[in-house]
């Protein structure tokens, strides 16, 4: 009886620790999604063509961000392990490597994105009437690339130390800035109807270009603030340190981050191909598709919000060589994520038309988008477990197997089946989203098998 009471107390303490680490990350994800909601809703008032022009490059932006997110995972894994093992100097050295990574990645990605921006919409198969706006929008949001990378990588550094609140605050500032600038730059003097509300606007009337400028300025502000935050962080501050390459630490960060970079790059390329296939269904269907993708993001916020805390906590447990703590943390977080995303999935299933109407007034787009949102709502609990499993493997630095699984599933399941549905059998948008759901189901099953199998424990000395 005494042992049972002790176990319950320990589990309660663990849940409290998980929630304490997770809620700022969840709030941060919610803020980012709120801005995307507002931005998409505001652009949606300009019509289906404007929504399609902005939505066209969503998956390309995922591709662009993937190296930064991947190297952020590499740095996070290295720092959280070092802190768990009480190696503070290694943690600080890893944070300094993150500055070098940010600078190099920012320059490389800037050159690539600005170079391809004039040609990208045509490559993606966009209708001629949206190509110009899509090209300009993409170029503008990619100009401040070094600040964009800074936001992602330095945010990961802060989370690895257990500081989830500062990235949340920085994103709050960035998002408020973005919303204000959107109102000022997108519209002229007019009245908007968003979600049943009539909102008067007074601004520059720049349309899609105004939205891009607002996003670019917001990236600059958040990038600067993230750097200031790590400079003030006691555990990893570069203050008084030389910004120099530490080969051993950099190698550890790259060894974790490189496979994730490869995985995210190849899967995001798959997303780009996936989107280009959807453009073949027409502008209305593609607008419904891109808006539905944005709408769904709000409903998997809890999963991605908890993913960072998962990586930090399991990384600490690995550094401490505590297998029991690792196992209990992993299972508990996965359970919490599944329960919460069952609830959010239920809301998505019940109110898809209302959610779509927030973004656009076009009845046909709303109808198509609501149909696919109901389909994906059923898979939300499983998707929550998938997100946490990814966080577990990222936290311990076991990224090679998930890389293989993601590539296999994306290209072997999603892309191939979507090609058949769209190009061979001429099925509609619902079939495309069923292919997307099938991809997530396969990834979840394979990652869960890898986790339960436990053969990876020997390699990571757990």
């Amino acid at each position: 009886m005494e042992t049972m009471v002790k176990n319950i107390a320990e589990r309660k303490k663990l849940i409290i620790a998980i929630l304490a680490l997770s809620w700022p990350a969840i709030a941060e994800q919610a803020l980012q999604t709120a801005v995307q909601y507002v931005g998409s809703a505001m652009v949606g008032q300009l019509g289906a063509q404007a929504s399609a022009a902005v939505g066209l490059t969503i998956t390309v932006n995922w591709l662009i961000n993937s190296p930064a997110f991947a190297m952020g995972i590499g740095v996070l894994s290295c720092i959280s392990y070092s802190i768990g093992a009480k190696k503070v100097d290694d943690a600080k050295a890893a944070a300094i490597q993150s500055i070098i990574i940010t600078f190099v990645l920012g320059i490389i990605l800037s050159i690539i994105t600005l170079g391809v921006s004039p040609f990208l919409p045509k490559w993606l198969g966009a209708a001629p009437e949206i190509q110009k706006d899509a090209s300009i929008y993409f170029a503008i949001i990619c100009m401040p690339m070094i600040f964009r990378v800074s936001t992602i990588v330095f945010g990961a550094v802060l989370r690895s130390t257990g500081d989830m609140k500062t990235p949340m605050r920085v994103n709050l500032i960035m998002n408020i800035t973005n919303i204000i600038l959107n109102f000022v730059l997108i519209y002229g003097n007019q009245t908007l109807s968003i979600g049943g509300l009539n909102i008067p606007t007074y601004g520059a009337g720049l349309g899609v270009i105004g939205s891009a400028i607002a996003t670019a300025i917001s990236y600059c502000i958040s990038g600067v603030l993230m750097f200031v935050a790590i400079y003030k962080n006691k555990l990893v501050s570069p203050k008084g340190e030389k910004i120099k390459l530490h080969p051993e630490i950099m190698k550890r960060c790259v060894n974790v981050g490189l496979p994730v970079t490869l995985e995210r790059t190849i899967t995001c390329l798959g997303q780009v191909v996936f989107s280009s296939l959807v453009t073949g269904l027409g502008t209305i269907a593609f607008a419904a598709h891109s808006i539905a993708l944005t709408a769904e993001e709000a409903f998997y916020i809890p999963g991605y919000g908890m993913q960072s805390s998962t990586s930090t906590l399991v990384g600490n447990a690995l550094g401490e060589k505590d297998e029991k703590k690792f196992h209990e943390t992993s299972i508990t977080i996965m359970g919490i994520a599944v329960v919460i995303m069952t609830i959010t999935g239920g809301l998505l299933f019940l109110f898809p038309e209302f959610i779509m109407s927030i973004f656009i007034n076009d009845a046909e787009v709303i109808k198509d988008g609501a149909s696919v949102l109901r389909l994906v709502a059923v898979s939300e609990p499983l998707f929550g477990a998938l997100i946490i499993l990814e966080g577990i493997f990222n936290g311990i630095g076991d990224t090679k197997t998930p890389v293989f699984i993601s590539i296999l599933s994306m290209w072997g399941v999603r892309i191939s089946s979507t090609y058949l549905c769209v190009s061979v059998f001429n099925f509609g948008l619902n079939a495309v989203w069923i292919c997307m759901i099938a991809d997530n189901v396969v990834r979840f099953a394979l990652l869960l098998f890898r986790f339960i199998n436990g053969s990876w424990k020997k390699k990571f000395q757990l």
Side-chain angles (χ1 to χ4, degrees), residues 380-434:
E380 290 297 295
L382 179 146
F383 190 43
L386 167 61
I387 292 168
I388 300 304
L389 283 167
E390 289 176 342
I392 291 168
F393 288 113
N394 289 340
I396 64 174
D398 180 14
T399 54
K400 291 182 180 179
T401 300
V403 164
F404 175 75
I405 289 171
S406 293
I407 294 171
L408 175 67
S409 184
M410 168 60 74
W411 290 88
V413 178
R414 183 181 301 200
I415 301 302
S416 59
S417 59
T418 300
Y419 174 78
L420 290 173
C421 287
V422 174
S423 302
V424 178
F425 299 113
N426 296 316
F427 291 156
L429 191 59
N430 282 1
V432 168
W433 277 61
I434 290 172

Side-chain angles (χ1 to χ4, degrees), residues 261-410:
T261 301
L262 178 64
E263 179 263 327
R264 294 209 173 195
T265 300
I266 294 176
T267 54
C268 284
L269 279 171
Q271 293 281 7
V272 173
V273 173
F274 179 67
S275 289
S276 68
L277 289 171
V278 179
T279 60
L281 298 176
T283 299
I284 294 295
F286 186 76
H289 170 74
S290 58
I291 291 173
L293 284 176
T294 300
E296 188 203 0
E297 288 186 26
F299 296 86
Y300 51 68
I301 285 171
Y304 278 112
M306 297 176 74
Q307 190 183 63
S308 296
S309 57
T310 302
S311 297
T312 300
L313 288 170
V314 299
N316 291 160
L318 181 67
E320 295 167 11
K321 301 293 188 291
D322 190 335
E323 183 174 356
K324 181 182 176 183
K325 181 179 179 181
F326 173 88
H327 181 76
E328 289 183 353
T329 300
S330 301
I331 298 300
T332 302
I333 296 180
M334 202 181 306
I336 294 171
V338 168
V339 169
I340 294 175
M341 288 188 64
T342 298
I343 297 170
T344 60
L347 294 172
L348 184 60
F349 185 85
L350 292 172
F351 307 108
E353 290 88 359
F354 170 75
I355 294 165
M356 287 295 296
S357 70
I358 294 172
F359 302 100
I360 197 163
N361 295 323
D362 189 302
E364 191 174 356
V365 173
I366 291 173
K367 179 183 176 182
D368 289 351
S371 179
V372 297
L373 286 178
R374 277 205 171 92
L375 284 173
V376 80
V378 179
S379 69
E380 290 297 295
L382 179 146
F383 190 43
L386 167 61
I387 292 168
I388 300 304
L389 283 167
E390 289 176 342
I392 291 168
F393 288 113
N394 289 340
I396 64 174
D398 180 14
T399 54
K400 291 182 180 179
T401 300
V403 164
F404 175 75
I405 289 171
S406 293
I407 294 171
L408 175 67
S409 184
M410 168 60 74

Side-chain angles (χ1 to χ4, degrees), residues 38 43-44 125 131 164 171 188 225 242 277 279 296 399 416 452:
V38 172
V43 171
Q131 288 183 12
M164 304 290 182
N171 274 282
L225 291 177
K242 290 184 178 179
L277 289 171
T279 60
E296 188 203 0
T399 54
S416 59
I452 293 173

Side-chain angles (χ1 to χ4, degrees), residues 441-460:
V441 171
V442 170
R443 285 169 57 206
F444 165 74
L446 293 176
L447 277 177
L448 183 63
F449 176 79
R450 167 73 170 167
F451 178 76
I452 293 173
N453 178 267
S455 58
W456 49 270
K457 291 181 181 180
K458 291 181 181 179
K459 178 181 179 182
F460 293 93

Side-chain angles (χ1 to χ4, degrees), residues 108-158:
I108 292 173
L109 291 174
S110 292
I111 294 170
I112 293 172
T113 53
L114 293 176
V116 303
S117 61
F119 318 104
L120 187 61
K122 188 174 182 179
W123 291 346
L124 294 176
E129 62 268 21
I130 69 170
Q131 288 183 12
K132 181 179 178 182
D133 280 350
S135 177
I136 295 172
Y137 177 86
F138 181 74
I140 292 172
I141 66 171
C142 290
M143 285 180 182
M145 188 56 68
I146 196 163
F147 297 98
R148 191 162 155 182
V149 174
S150 171
T151 300
I152 296 168
V153 175
F154 295 157
V157 171
L158 293 169

Side-chain angles (χ1 to χ4, degrees), residues 85-106:
K86 311 298 182 187
K87 298 179 179 179
V88 180
D89 289 343
D90 283 358
K92 183 168 287 193
I96 290 172
Q97 304 315 293
S98 75
I99 297 174
I100 299 172
I101 289 168
T102 297
F103 184 76
V104 173
L105 264 184

